[in-house]
Amino acid sequence: MKNLPIITLICLLFLSSAEVKATGVFKKNSRTIVIPAQSNSRVKFGAEKISKALSLIGYDVKIVQKNKLPKGKGFIVIGIKGDQLLAGVSNPAQKQVGKEGFNISYNKNNNLVIEGTDHSGALYGCMELVDEIKLKNKLPENISVSDQPQMVLRGTCIGLQKTEFLPGREIYEYPYTPESFPWFYDRDHWIRYLDMMVENRYNSLYLWNGHPFSSLVRLKDYPYAVEVDDETFKKNEEVFRFLTEEADKRGIWVIQMFYNILIPKPFADKHGLATQDRNRPIIPLIADYTRKSVAAFVEKYPNVGLLVALGEAMEGVGQDDIDWFTKTIIPGVKDGLKAAGIKNEPPIVLRAHDTHAPSVMAASLPLYKNLYTENKFNGEALTTYEPRGSWAELHRELSRVAPVHISNVHILANLEPFRYGSADFIQKSVQAMDKIYGSKGLHLYPQSGYWDWPYTADKIKDRQLQIDRDWIWYKEWGRYAWNSYRDRNEEINYWGQELAAKYGTDLPAGKAILNAYEESGEISPKLLRRYGITDGNRQTLTLGMLMTQLINPYRYGLFTLLYESEAPEGEMIIEYAEKAWKKQGHIGETPVQVAREVIEHGKKALASINEASPSVTKDTEEFRRLKNDMYCYDAMANFYAEKVKSALWVLRYKYSNDVADLEKALPFLEKSVAHYTDLVKLTENDYLYANSMQTKQRKIPMRGVDKTFIHWTEMLPVFTKELSHFKRSIDSLKSANSGTANAIKPFKNAVVKVLSGNESYILAKNARIFTDSTAVIKDVTEQLIGLKGVKLNKAQQIKSGTTIRFSNTSPVKVLVGFFNVKGPLYLKAPELETDASANNYGQSEIKIMNSMILDGYPPVNVHAYSFPAGINTLTLGKGAAMVLGFISEGQEMRIYNAGLDGKGKDIDWLFE
């Protein structure tokens, strides 16, 4: 009988074990989390995250606030270095870590101690423990981790922008209203997004808007500048305070971006001004309004940073940029700080876009020390992790002058809309930011759909959220911004496990999905950097390119920085063709090489995704969409590869004048259209659009106005027509045995009265075009001969710009000649990469390349500005240019290369 208690205990233990096996419910453990009595909100938030993670796996948890650890063992203790609570508790042998760093370890009393260098460090230590708990489904029994981030700033951005312009507005003009941005007022959505950010260790959130002040502050001197009603204004205040408070709990600094010089519409209307005018000088009224807006914002939201974009909405590089930053923006920030009684300078981020940021920094640092700089990583795309040339040197220069220089992964116009998750490409990109650029910060755009936040382009009944679909995009960049020098083999295992968990597969299948991401992840970067026109969002890569864009890229305003800095050393299609004809050696990455490689990447991506497919048991519909994207990438790769093969034969004809070369090009172009037909089938039921920018700024492959040419189904007829035209051109050449194009009709002068008092001249050889120069026209394309041009003073153009007032009774085009070289003496041609207003008059595209030669000047390209009937003003920036004449709006303008630069004939007529 004396053994009965022991027998009873054994039976009870057996029954308890059987109950656990039968019900799956484990006996709860208890844990007490101890934080300092006066804890920062980030420490409290971290403690709550640990408590929740432990509660989900059966722990009984409570959080207490003490300045001294209670007696006992098994506590979880959280604090920062120097806290009274941690005195004698933390491990004295632990590693010294820097800003936002932490140590996690057990001490001799079996207390699990999380010690942060600062409050963010303590928070990240808590998040690290949460990750361990989720991974092992228990509180780790033995852990010793010391860590700190590689990058000082690790941020994501959200655009308060839309896919289309608001009525009566221009680009970037979007007041904060529930009608335009219902998601902005959805607090649950913000919590989800901010939780995603802290889980991925992001510490900054950028909000992009052209002019946010008129939605968030009310000025005593300019009460009429507010763009929203009183109820909306109150909501905006509440949401902004809520957002900043919730972000602060998670160690996230909110940064508000704005453009210069952009003013609110009510203010503009009252004073008879345009909301945006790049060529407008700084005027006291606008400077005063802007300074007071910045001051009011800083005073009202002292914990919110500012990202200042000097370029784009004001005239490019020059003294105005420096004056605006040093005499308006910085004084405004200082006024706000003084009014709020704050002595510490918050950081101001200077965006190095369309401004000479080093000069601005040199002038500004004596006035304000806490300045950061920011510049695009690969333009508005993702093209290479081996940046070089002038763009890399600009980044390095900025990293030398700024306390923190930030690399901005911007827009991603070449990735939209297909899923992207190449851990390898992203890891190497962050390493490049560090090693090549010297960047200490990441500013990350959404992977696609920036203009349509928070939704993806996927054609689903209930719109899909970007943070759900593109989870791996945010997770990969966040992981490598924290530490980009992780072991590659370990990373393959890590992401394999993540993807296996996501789709309910085993590890080999998870690795196969990763490989599909990484193989497909090489396709768009390689295509754009070797075949593209621009790194900007005026090109939608996934919609394809016209043959004329491949064989005559300069006609479309080729952005040469794409090839010179944002691609490995190599050759464009036109360079490769010329060298092949001349039997010269090739250099670096070639178009033929990329055509071959992208086809192989597509094959491997399909093989990997199909290998994983049978074992997928979770999130099967999303996996189907991911799999479809791999087929889209493959079809797109083949479309481009076959078209480039065709283009090389077409370019050979340019030198050989042998129709047989065109006949060799034809089968490749036919295959290209067939692959594009496949791409249309893959996207027509799965995607709403290819690019979320659906305004007149989009130009390539086709100009997009009012949401036109946004889908592959709209482009297939264009490519089919291009093929048909090419076939007819070949037949015509064979029958006529001639390589000449159809004759181009000369332009006729429109009836226009110049009101600005300028002298006129008739375009012809030996005509003088400037009042202060003896330079004459040496040669001019026949189509321009006889036009009535406007004679200008070149010195005055360089000093002050050009303004021509005129009246016309019917719509007209003004033909403007730009010298096709860049320099301080010449007016810069319209360029959407730096100026969002560069196509407001339809002027961004070159109409006639190399149309004129002046004695002692570079060749001239012609652009056309459209104006309605009435009294109009043509305003051009500083630099020499020519107003060549006025033609009626309806007069046909065939785009072509006049070839007066001596570099060969135009063969675009083969396709149009």
Side-chain angles (χ1 to χ4, degrees):
M1 294 295 293
K2 64 181 180 179
N3 292 325
L4 184 60
I6 297 174
I7 295 170
T8 303
L9 178 61
I10 292 171
C11 290
L12 288 172
L13 287 171
F14 176 80
L15 289 171
S16 176
S17 175
E19 182 182 1
V20 165
K21 291 178 181 177
T23 64
V25 177
F26 290 84
K27 183 179 180 181
K28 287 189 175 181
N29 293 294
S30 63
R31 281 291 184 276
T32 299
I33 300 173
V34 187
I35 61 176
Q38 300 298 320
S39 286
N40 178 273
S41 61
R42 297 177 193 178
V43 175
K44 290 180 180 177
F45 183 85
E48 289 165 0
K49 283 291 185 181
I50 294 172
S51 175
K52 183 177 180 180
L54 289 173
S55 297
L56 288 173
I57 58 171
Y59 282 79
D60 205 0
V61 186
K62 65 178 179 178
I63 300 173
V64 299
Q65 295 185 236
K66 303 279 186 181
N67 280 330
K68 186 176 181 181
L69 191 66
K71 291 182 180 181
K73 298 181 180 181
F75 295 108
I76 299 174
V77 189
I78 307 167
I80 67 170
K81 197 174 183 65
D83 278 345
Q84 182 181 346
L85 174 64
L86 267 60
V89 174
S90 58
N91 185 349
Q94 65 191 9
K95 184 179 177 181
Q96 295 296 312
V97 290
K99 186 178 179 181
E100 295 188 308
F102 60 84
N103 283 286
I104 307 175
S105 62
Y106 279 97
N107 67 8
K108 60 184 179 180
N109 291 326
N110 202 35
N111 294 315
L112 181 53
V113 181
I114 300 173
E115 180 184 88
T117 303
D118 46 33
H119 294 121
S120 288
L123 168 62
Y124 293 139
C126 293
M127 299 306 297
E128 180 71 20
L129 182 59
V130 168
D131 288 347
E132 285 287 323
I133 293 168
K134 289 180 178 178
L135 179 66
K136 298 176 180 176
N137 208 38
K138 66 176 183 177
L139 186 67
E141 297 170 357
N142 184 21
I143 184 173
S144 180
V145 177
S146 297
D147 207 356
Q148 67 183 66
Q150 174 185 324
M151 285 193 161
V152 174
L153 281 178
R154 307 169 303 281
T156 65
C157 94
I158 290 176
L160 280 101
Q161 318 274 13
K162 296 186 73 64
T163 60
E164 58 191 344
F165 293 173
L166 295 179
R169 302 276 189 161
E170 290 296 331
I171 190 169
Y172 306 132
E173 297 179 20
Y174 301 106
Y176 293 6
T177 67
E179 293 76 24
S180 292
F181 307 109
W183 57 265
F184 181 72
Y185 304 88
D186 185 345
R187 300 191 182 202
D188 290 340
H189 178 79
W190 277 122
I191 293 297
R192 280 198 63 201
Y193 187 82
L194 294 172
D195 281 347
M196 177 280 292
M197 290 186 69
V198 71
E199 286 164 10
N200 291 309
R201 312 304 190 262
Y202 290 110
N203 66 356
S204 44
L205 169 60
Y206 299 81
L207 301 178
W208 279 65
N209 185 269
H211 190 80
F213 307 119
S214 54
S215 297
L216 295 168
V217 296
R218 194 188 305 275
L219 304 181
K220 179 181 178 182
D221 293 341
Y222 304 101
Y224 51 84
V226 175
E227 294 194 88
V228 298
D229 59 47
D230 290 346
E231 183 181 354
T232 299
F233 187 83
K234 184 179 179 181
K235 287 181 180 178
N236 291 347
E237 290 180 313
E238 293 171 352
V239 169
F240 219 75
R241 288 198 179 97
F242 164 80
L243 172 60
T244 54
E245 288 172 5
E246 290 296 328
D248 185 63
K249 288 180 189 176
R250 296 161 175 81
I252 298 166
W253 175 40
V254 177
I255 304 169
Q256 179 67 65
M257 175 271 178
F258 63 100
Y259 280 107
N260 294 278
I261 302 173
L262 199 157
I263 54 178
K265 187 170 175 56
F267 179 93
D269 290 346
K270 182 175 178 64
H271 295 285
L273 299 167
T275 54
Q276 302 182 49
D277 183 354
R278 268 180 73 88
N279 301 301
R280 175 171 52 203
I282 296 172
I283 61 176
L285 175 68
I286 296 179
D288 184 65
Y289 162 75
T290 304
R291 176 172 176 170
K292 288 175 177 174
S293 293
V294 171
F297 183 84
V298 170
E299 180 183 4
K300 190 172 185 178
Y301 305 105
N303 296 319
V304 179
L306 292 174
L307 169 59
V308 181
L310 290 177
E312 193 146 343
M314 70 187 288
E315 189 179 3
V317 179
Q319 187 62 38
D320 281 356
D321 291 12
I322 295 172
D323 289 345
W324 188 253
F325 198 59
T326 58
K327 296 178 181 180
T328 298
I329 303 301
I330 290 176
V333 172
K334 286 186 170 183
D335 292 345
L337 293 175
K338 183 178 179 180
I342 298 172
K343 293 184 178 181
N344 293 330
E345 294 179 343
I348 303 174
V349 183
L350 171 65
R351 187 183 182 212
H353 174 72
D354 196 27
T355 189
H356 190 252
S359 298
V360 178
M361 288 291 287
S364 303
L365 282 169
L367 307 174
Y368 198 96
K369 299 300 180 186
N370 203 10
L371 296 177
Y372 294 3
T373 54
E374 182 240 64
N375 200 27
K376 295 173 183 174
F377 177 59
N378 286 161
E380 295 178 343
L382 189 63
T383 58
T384 184
Y385 43 77
E386 297 175 326
R388 60 193 178 92
S390 60
W391 199 244
E393 183 50 43
L394 174 59
H395 274 273
R396 287 192 289 267
E397 187 176 0
L398 292 172
S399 70
R400 288 191 293 266
V401 300
V404 175
H405 175 57
I406 303 163
S407 285
N408 174 207
V409 180
H410 195 88
I411 291 290
L412 293 313
N414 67 324
L415 302 189
E416 279 200 294
F418 308 136
R419 288 156 178 78
Y420 190 93
S422 174
D424 184 42
F425 203 107
I426 290 172
Q427 182 175 13
K428 289 174 179 175
S429 294
V430 181
Q431 289 172 355
M433 292 175 185
D434 179 35
K435 292 188 291 188
I436 299 176
Y437 285 170
S439 300
K440 297 178 183 176
L442 167 71
H443 175 183
L444 180 70
Y445 264 57
Q447 188 251 297
S448 70
Y450 167 74
W451 302 90
D452 198 17
W453 182 267
Y455 301 113
T456 73
D458 295 83
K459 196 173 183 179
I460 303 172
K461 183 179 179 181
D462 295 320
R463 294 290 300 276
Q464 190 177 26
L465 295 177
Q466 292 180 30
I467 56 173
D468 292 333
R469 190 195 89 156
D470 299 327
W471 65 275
I472 197 167
W473 172 261
Y474 290 107
K475 196 173 185 69
E476 286 173 344
W477 285 102
R479 181 172 175 82
Y480 297 124
W482 183 274
N483 179 9
S484 67
Y485 296 101
R486 302 174 190 266
D487 179 77
R488 169 65 177 155
N489 291 326
E490 291 178 4
E491 290 305 287
I492 292 172
N493 282 324
Y494 173 83
W495 292 112
Q497 290 167 350
E498 289 289 310
L499 288 162
K502 166 76 173 172
Y503 293 112
T505 70
D506 56 17
L507 182 57
K511 289 183 178 180
I513 299 170
L514 174 65
N515 193 60
Y517 267 126
E518 295 191 335
E519 291 292 346
S520 65
E522 294 287 338
I523 293 172
S524 288
K526 287 184 176 180
L527 290 176
L528 186 68
R529 75 190 189 204
R530 198 48 54 206
Y531 307 150
I533 298 293
T534 174
D535 68 1
N537 61 15
R538 67 182 168 105
Q539 175 166 6
T540 306
L541 178 83
T542 56
L543 281 178
M545 290 173 68
L546 304 177
M547 183 62 87
T548 52
Q549 290 162 351
L550 296 176
I551 66 173
N552 189 8
Y554 285 100
R555 161 184 160 180
Y556 295 90
L558 180 70
F559 194 64
T560 56
L561 191 73
L562 172 62
Y563 292 91
E564 295 163 357
S565 286
E566 297 160 2
E569 185 178 18
E571 297 172 3
M572 292 189 296
I573 296 171
I574 55 175
E575 293 171 329
Y576 184 93
E578 182 180 6
K579 286 186 175 185
W581 175 254
K582 294 178 178 178
K583 295 182 169 56
Q584 296 175 344
H586 298 289
I587 298 172
E589 187 179 74
T590 69
V592 173
Q593 171 193 340
V594 165
R596 182 175 62 250
E597 288 177 358
V598 295
I599 289 174
E600 191 63 24
H601 288 311
K603 286 180 181 177
K604 290 180 178 178
L606 291 186
S608 291
I609 204 71
N610 285 320
E611 176 188 337
S613 188
S615 62
V616 170
T617 60
K618 287 171 56 180
D619 214 348
T620 55
E621 187 54 30
E622 174 58 19
F623 182 81
R624 184 202 68 77
R625 291 190 285 266
L626 172 62
K627 182 177 178 180
N628 189 68
D629 279 358
M630 296 302 144
Y631 279 87
C632 290
Y633 274 117
D634 179 66
M636 181 176 70
N638 280 278
F639 160 78
Y640 271 104
E642 297 300 329
K643 194 156 193 172
V644 167
K645 294 173 191 175
S646 179
L648 289 170
W649 281 109
V650 170
L651 285 167
R652 182 177 176 84
Y653 165 77
K654 183 177 180 179
Y655 301 101
S656 71
N657 208 33
D658 186 348
V659 179
D661 288 332
L662 299 180
E663 291 181 304
K664 291 174 183 176
L666 182 58
F668 294 114
L669 190 58
E670 289 174 328
K671 289 179 184 177
S672 175
V673 174
H675 286 299
Y676 199 86
T677 302
D678 291 339
L679 184 57
V680 169
K681 292 175 183 176
L682 291 164
T683 56
E684 61 185 343
N685 294 320
D686 274 68
Y687 278 103
L688 297 169
Y689 54 75
N691 191 326
S692 61
M693 175 182 262
Q694 297 166 11
T695 59
K696 59 189 176 183
Q697 276 69 29
R698 290 185 306 109
K699 297 288 290 181
I700 299 164
M702 297 291 286
R703 186 182 180 209
V705 181
D706 299 328
K707 298 190 174 185
T708 55
F709 293 105
I710 64 173
H711 201 280
W712 298 265
T713 53
E714 295 173 274
M715 282 305 305
L716 182 58
V718 175
F719 293 132
T720 303
K721 182 179 178 181
E722 184 182 61
L723 174 61
S724 298
H725 193 104
F726 185 49
K727 289 178 179 178
R728 289 197 302 271
S729 296
I730 293 174
D731 291 341
S732 177
L733 287 170
K734 287 168 70 175
S735 61
N737 196 25
S738 168
T740 59
N742 295 329
I744 298 173
K745 296 179 182 179
F747 290 133
K748 295 180 181 179
N749 287 296
V751 178
V752 170
K753 184 178 181 180
V754 176
L755 305 175
S756 46
N758 300 80
E759 183 183 346
S760 64
Y761 68 97
I762 302 300
L763 257 72
K765 289 184 180 181
N766 299 317
R768 285 179 57 189
I769 62 166
F770 294 118
T771 61
D772 58 342
S773 171
T774 58
V776 298
I777 297 174
K778 290 177 62 178
D779 200 1
V780 58
T781 184
E782 290 185 12
Q783 193 174 26
L784 297 177
I785 293 175
L787 284 180
K788 191 175 181 179
V790 179
K791 193 170 285 190
L792 303 167
N793 183 295
K794 187 179 70 170
Q796 187 67 28
Q797 284 187 298
I798 294 169
K799 180 182 178 181
S800 307
T802 302
T803 301
I804 305 292
R805 292 184 68 248
F806 59 94
S807 65
N808 47 295
T809 56
S810 57
V812 297
K813 288 188 174 80
V814 184
L815 304 187
V816 178
F818 290 85
F819 296 103
N820 65 359
V821 68
K822 293 183 179 180
L825 300 180
Y826 301 110
L827 177 61
K828 184 179 179 181
E831 182 181 83
L832 281 165
E833 282 77 9
T834 55
D835 176 12
S837 66
N839 200 43
N840 284 359
Y841 301 91
Q843 77 272 30
S844 69
E845 188 173 61
I846 299 173
K847 300 300 184 183
I848 310 174
M849 290 181 64
N850 303 304
S851 65
M852 184 188 304
I853 302 294
L854 267 69
D855 202 8
Y857 286 82
V860 175
N861 296 333
V862 177
H863 293 245
Y865 290 66
S866 294
F867 288 91
I871 296 176
N872 293 293
T873 301
L874 171 69
T875 305
L876 303 174
K878 297 174 185 177
M882 293 162 288
V883 176
L884 302 173
F886 304 82
I887 65 172
S888 66
E889 177 67 35
Q891 195 164 167
E892 181 184 5
M893 285 200 78
R894 211 196 85 187
I895 299 172
Y896 66 99
N897 181 1
L900 298 185
D901 60 343
K903 293 184 179 179
K905 61 186 179 182
D906 170 31
I907 55 172
D908 292 11
W909 55 269
L910 289 166
F911 299 95
E912 57 188 23

